[in-house]
Amino acid sequence: KTLLSIEQMEEINSLLKQKAVEAGAETWQDRKEAQKVSCKFGEEGVCCRICSMGPCRITPKAPRGICGANADTIAARNFARMVAAGAAAHSDHARDIAHVLHMSSENGSYKVKDKDKLYKLAGEWGVSTEGKDLYDVAHEVAEVALMEFGKPFGTLRFLDRAVDGRKETWEKEKVAPRAIDREIATIMHSTHIGCTAEAESLVRMGIRTGLSDGWGGSMIGTELTDILFGTPTPTQTESNLGVLEEDMVNIVLHGHDPSLSEMIVLASEDAELVAYAKEKGAKGINLAGLCCTANEVTMRHGVKMAGNFLQQENAVLTGAVEAVIVDVQCIFPAMAALADCFHTKFITTSPKAKIPGATHIEFDEHHAFDSAKGIVKEAIDNYANRDRAKVYIPDSKQTAMAGYSIEAIIKQLDLVTNSHVDKTGTVKPLADCIVSGVLRGAVGIVGCNNPKVRPDYSHIEIIKNMIANDVIVVATGCAAQAAAKAGLLDKEARNLAGQGLRTVCELVDIPPVLHMGSCVDISRIILLVNAVAKHLNMDIPKLPVVGIAPEWMSEKAVAIGNYVIGSGIDTFLGVYPQVTGSAEMVDLLTNRVEDIVGAKFTVEMDPAKLSEQVLERIEAKRTALGI
Ligand code: NFS
Ligand code: SF4
């Protein structure tokens, strides 16, 4: 079985929902129902509770808050704060990775796996390597990375990677990000009562802070993660709840930070623990991932993917999961109560994300492997408690290819590079295909699930529309997993592609949708687009390339949207940002921002219409280029 339709997916969901009813468990569908209609003021972004004179809500009769802030100011402040929170989440994750690189050692739990990448980065950052021990270089690179968060002067180092014209635009428009923490703090300061009231300044700050994530925190996170745990290479894996096993200890890894998940992977392969699991009557230990942690370990180890954001409760509802091990971000607090309805242990590990009702076992990075072993042992011990009567593992799993780092994509492209004529190891074949029109363009489809739209449907429909029209798709985050569940990451999915894309997929042996990783790995997408722009010697806004977040929901996604447009890539959203109460904000984001960075937002909730608009935009860019 390679393809799975949205209807089949929804049928599985409703069977699991039935399991929830039988177990007396509550799920997001119940809570969504209980929330009824969402608050109109919040929805439109015109409720302010920034100071305790308020909260103030904007209505036609009360167009200003007590301090005089109007709808534009309030919506802009709320939006900017979302960017700050999102950039903080990505970047704090990256900072943790930098600390892990800083503690890496020859004999410790954390080692350097991609030495070439480390030395390349050292070269880029002016860290001398000559005659130095590998780990001294690693620690120095980590220190330089850590300085990017709080350095008092200058702008971010990675801005120098940008194609000619981009950095100049950023500087001219005063959106070139300085230290990452500084940009976040500036937004918090400027949105304090009595500071910035001008929407346009706040939009610019949002872009600058977004860029500090995309060309700062996220890019650092991706680079250092590759250095520590290896740069991904194409790997076959499987996706959806059918990856859970009847007769094994099932452990679901959920969250984001690979410094935990990599150690859990190692621990689950530990001979002693596997033997222990067998002693307890299981055939072995089966790991499956949820959300971005799934993407991280799938890319590097082929660990199977249980699913994306709105699938997290479903995993527990199978009754077959011994432990859900989480760290940070996108974890429903509801998971604790849900796990209580089954034998499942819900284990939190990070002081940054404690959840009432969970079993908290703090992950100790200084004794990482032993710490991970202890956590896995908890899961094994819980196997005996599984109630077989409550188990329902849906019989659905799709094969999927993951692991398309830029390095891996270039290696595939080399398959069609004539090494007598051309240099290998470049993006030239990709650029050639786009210029010749064999591929009409490329889109990045990213982001979450959101019950405001039919979950997974938007992702899948848009992806299908893109590939059918010879637009190659790269995907990350929960969008990539929606594609995996539908079977669209399988090489066979090329049969759904148009003639041009199908030919390219056959020649370079790839699926039509490339899984490029977790959400911090959107930095890979940005760098891929940047590499094509450099090759064609033109700034990014000219390229027939578009970003799409069909079902976004998190603050991180808002930060991403800001750095994607900041990078010059038009971005289409399938869910409205909470700014519609301000005509000024809508005009800024969907129109005037283009004059600043060369790209803008478009919002359309209907996936069919959104697809059409994306294709039109791509063709318009082609026409403008005369290709
Ligand atoms: Ni991204 Fe990853 Fe998924 Fe959305 Fe959450 S997991 S960092 S935020 S929900 S795509
Ligand atoms: Fe009201 Fe102004 Fe205070 Fe916001 S900052 S709550 S608009 S008084």
Side-chain angles (χ1 to χ4, degrees), residues 41 81 83 122 133 157 195 214 279 338 342 405 415 444 544 572:
F41 300 99
R81 284 192 169 203
V83 181
D133 179 73
R157 289 168 179 266
C195 276
E279 224 172 89
L338 179 65
F342 295 84
S405 57
L415 292 175
F572 288 69

Side-chain angles (χ1 to χ4, degrees), residues 180-424:
I180 301 159
D181 290 350
R182 183 174 183 185
E183 296 308 350
I184 295 162
T186 297
I187 281 198
M188 296 314 286
H189 175 184
S190 289
T191 54
H192 187 275
I193 179 175
C195 276
T196 307
E198 186 190 72
E200 184 178 325
S201 314
L202 289 164
V203 166
R204 283 174 189 269
M205 274 182 224
I207 291 170
R208 190 170 63 185
T209 305
L211 288 168
S212 82
D213 175 354
W215 293 80
S218 281
M219 205 171 278
I220 291 171
T222 297
E223 295 274 340
L224 303 194
T225 302
D226 284 356
I227 288 170
L228 278 164
F229 305 120
T231 301
T233 53
T235 330
Q236 181 154 332
T237 184
E238 287 174 330
S239 163
N240 220 341
L241 291 171
V243 304
L244 298 173
E245 301 283 351
E246 288 276 359
D247 45 15
M248 292 177 94
V249 174
N250 289 311
I251 297 177
V252 170
L253 268 169
H254 178 14
H256 285 78
D257 188 339
S259 49
L260 170 74
S261 52
E262 283 283 330
M263 287 301 129
I264 300 282
V265 172
L266 284 183
S268 73
E269 292 165 351
D270 179 70
E272 208 180 298
L273 281 176
V274 174
Y276 185 62
K278 288 183 177 162
E279 224 172 89
K280 297 280 170 179
K283 284 207 173 127
I285 305 168
N286 181 43
L287 268 193
L290 274 174
C291 287
C292 280
T293 261
N295 294 321
E296 298 279 1
V297 288
T298 253
M299 295 266 283
R300 297 193 179 82
H301 304 278
V303 169
K304 291 166 279 186
M305 299 184 273
N308 47 2
F309 182 62
L310 282 182
Q311 180 105 303
Q312 56 186 293
E313 292 179 314
N314 283 351
V316 176
L317 291 172
T318 63
V321 174
E322 274 57 58
V324 180
I325 302 170
V326 306
D327 52 20
V328 291
Q329 301 172 19
C330 302
I331 301 147
F332 278 0
M335 293 288 276
L338 179 65
D340 276 348
C341 299
F342 295 84
H343 77 299
T344 308
K345 272 208 167 166
F346 177 58
I347 303 174
T348 52
T349 60
S350 168
K352 292 178 194 178
K354 284 196 167 184
I355 294 173
T359 305
H360 187 75
I361 308 177
E362 204 145 305
F363 178 58
D364 175 4
E365 282 163 346
H366 294 277
H367 304 94
F369 184 56
D370 287 338
S371 186
K373 282 205 312 200
I375 297 169
V376 169
K377 189 169 173 293
E378 289 279 327
I380 299 172
D381 285 333
N382 197 22
Y383 182 69
N385 299 326
R386 193 192 290 181
D387 179 352
R388 304 272 156 183
K390 280 189 179 174
V391 172
Y392 163 62
I393 301 176
D395 170 33
S396 80
K397 54 179 170 188
Q398 274 56 50
T399 52
M401 292 297 296
Y404 291 98
S405 57
I406 296 183
E407 292 84 342
I409 291 173
I410 287 178
K411 220 165 164 196
Q412 294 306 123
L413 294 175
D414 278 347
L415 292 175
V416 290
T417 306
N418 181 343
S419 55
H420 297 296
V421 188
D422 291 318
K423 234 176 35 180
T424 52

Side-chain angles (χ1 to χ4, degrees), residues 18 46 49 58 91 123 129 178 184 295 317 343-344 366 400 467 481 500 502 519 528 568 608:
Q18 195 47 42
V46 293
R49 40 170 211 77
I58 300 305
S91 302
T129 55
R178 306 156 299 170
I184 295 162
N295 294 321
L317 291 172
H343 77 299
T344 308
H366 294 277
I467 63 177
Q481 295 186 356
R502 188 160 65 229
C519 291
L528 180 62

Side-chain angles (χ1 to χ4, degrees), residues 48-56 65-69 74 77 193-194:
C48 181
R49 40 170 211 77
I50 271 171
C51 88
S52 84
M53 293 192 284
C56 299
I66 295 167
C67 69
I74 292 172
R77 286 196 301 217
I193 179 175

